[in-house]
Amino acid sequence: MAPAPAPAAGMQTIGLIGGITWVSSIEYYRMMNKRVQKRFGDNSSARVLMYSIEFGEFSRNERLAEAGDWTALRSIMLDAASRLKRGGADFIVIASNTMNSTADLIESSVGIPVLQIADTTGQEIRRAGIKKVVLLGTKFTMEAPFYRDHLKRNFGIDVVTPNLADREYINRIIFDELSVEKFTPEAKARFIEISERLVKESGAQGVVLGCTEIPLLINQKDLSVPTFDTMAIHAEAAVERALSRKP
C-alpha cells in the first residue's frame, strides 16, 4: 500500500492570533498538530502562522474596554490579523472566546475570513441534540450578547449564565490564576459547584467551557452533563477547514 500523501502541499495556512493567553495558545498549537499527525502520520504537522499578542499591554487596554472604550483592543486585533494576512495566512483563528467578538470587524476591515468559535461550538452542541447550555467564560463573554445571541440565532440554542457574584468570581479566577498557569483545587471545586448548581436550577443539558483556559481547570470527567471544550472544538475545526481548502 502506498503511503498516505503528505498534507502540506494542499493544506491551507492557519493564521492563529494567540497570546490571549499564551497558556491556551500553546494548547491550540499542540492540538492542531496532533490532529494532522493522527490523520497523516508521525512526520506530518499543521501549517500554522501565529502572532502572539503581548498580554500585559492587552490586559491594560482591556480595562479601558470594560469602561466602554474598545478602540485600543480593536486596534490590537486588527493589527494582529493584518500581520497574519501579510504573512500568508488563508484564514484566522482567534484563540480566545472573548476576542472572537471582533471576528466580524476583522473580516470587514482586513479582508480575511475568521473561523468563529461560536460557530464551531454551536455546530458541536447541535450535533449532540442539546437545546440549552450553561456558558462559563470571562465576564464579558457571559454578559455581552455576541456569544449568547449567536448561539440562539444560528443554532436555536438557549444560553444560561451564572449569577453576578459567580460571574465575577469566574472572571477573577480566569485573569488572576488561569491566565498565569495557576490551577488550584479550590478553583476547580468552585467551578464544578457553580456548573452543577446551574444545570440543576435551569434544566440545561450541557456546559460550554467558553474561555480557552477553563478546559485546563475542569473537563468532561468533572461534570455530570455533556461538556463542550471550546478550545478543542475550535482547534479541530481549524484543521478540518485547512484540509478542506474552503475559501
Side-chain angles (χ1 to χ4, degrees):
M1 179 183 296
M11 186 178 188
Q12 289 187 329
T13 299
I14 301 166
L16 181 64
I17 299 179
I20 327 168
T21 63
W22 65 262
V23 177
S24 59
S25 302
I26 290 170
E27 292 301 307
Y28 263 90
Y29 185 73
R30 182 185 64 81
M31 288 178 181
M32 289 174 178
N33 283 290
K34 291 292 287 186
R35 189 163 184 86
V36 173
Q37 182 187 56
K38 183 177 180 181
R39 177 82 69 88
F40 294 97
D42 290 346
N43 292 326
S44 299
S45 61
R47 286 183 178 269
V48 181
L49 184 64
M50 180 191 290
Y51 179 77
S52 186
I53 289 168
E54 198 283 299
F55 191 65
E57 176 191 3
F58 183 88
S59 59
R60 288 190 294 273
N61 287 315
E62 193 162 34
R63 294 186 180 92
L64 297 175
E66 288 175 358
D69 183 1
W70 276 77
T71 304
L73 280 194
R74 287 172 178 152
S75 178
I76 289 171
M77 296 300 293
L78 291 173
D79 174 67
S82 297
R83 290 171 185 267
L84 291 172
K85 182 181 180 182
R86 291 197 302 269
D90 292 294
F91 64 95
I92 297 292
V93 171
I94 304 170
S96 160
N97 281 269
T98 297
M99 295 315 299
N100 265 260
S101 60
T102 63
D104 290 341
L105 176 66
I106 288 171
E107 288 189 337
S108 61
S109 300
V110 181
I112 187 169
V114 178
L115 181 64
Q116 295 201 33
I117 200 167
D119 280 332
T120 61
T121 300
Q123 289 161 7
E124 199 67 23
I125 296 169
R126 185 166 60 187
R127 275 193 286 268
I130 287 175
K131 296 295 186 181
K132 181 186 281 190
V133 294
V134 169
L135 174 63
L136 305 181
T138 64
K139 199 164 183 282
F140 179 79
T141 296
M142 291 186 287
E143 293 180 352
F146 82 99
Y147 212 104
R148 179 176 59 251
D149 289 358
H150 193 92
L151 290 180
K152 180 63 175 178
R153 181 175 61 252
N154 294 289
F155 302 98
I157 298 164
D158 291 319
V159 174
V160 293
T161 56
N163 61 40
L164 177 58
D166 288 339
R167 293 197 303 272
E168 291 179 342
Y169 171 80
I170 290 168
N171 192 72
R172 179 176 65 79
I173 293 298
I174 288 170
F175 283 98
D176 293 350
E177 297 186 10
L178 307 189
S179 65
V180 293
E181 217 175 10
K182 181 180 179 182
F183 307 101
T184 68
E186 294 77 16
K188 180 172 184 173
R190 180 76 182 276
F191 272 56
I192 292 170
E193 186 275 326
I194 291 170
S195 301
E196 293 289 1
R197 171 164 40 86
L198 197 49
V199 164
K200 185 177 180 179
E201 291 173 354
S202 69
Q205 305 154 298
V207 175
V208 175
L209 306 182
C211 167
T212 53
E213 285 77 33
I214 293 178
L216 303 174
L217 181 70
I218 63 172
N219 54 47
Q220 179 63 75
K221 71 178 186 299
D222 298 314
L223 299 174
S224 63
V225 294
T227 303
F228 298 91
D229 177 345
T230 56
M231 176 171 57
I233 292 168
H234 201 203
E236 292 177 2
V239 170
E240 294 308 308
R241 176 167 180 152
L243 292 173
S244 72
R245 296 192 60 78
K246 180 180 177 180

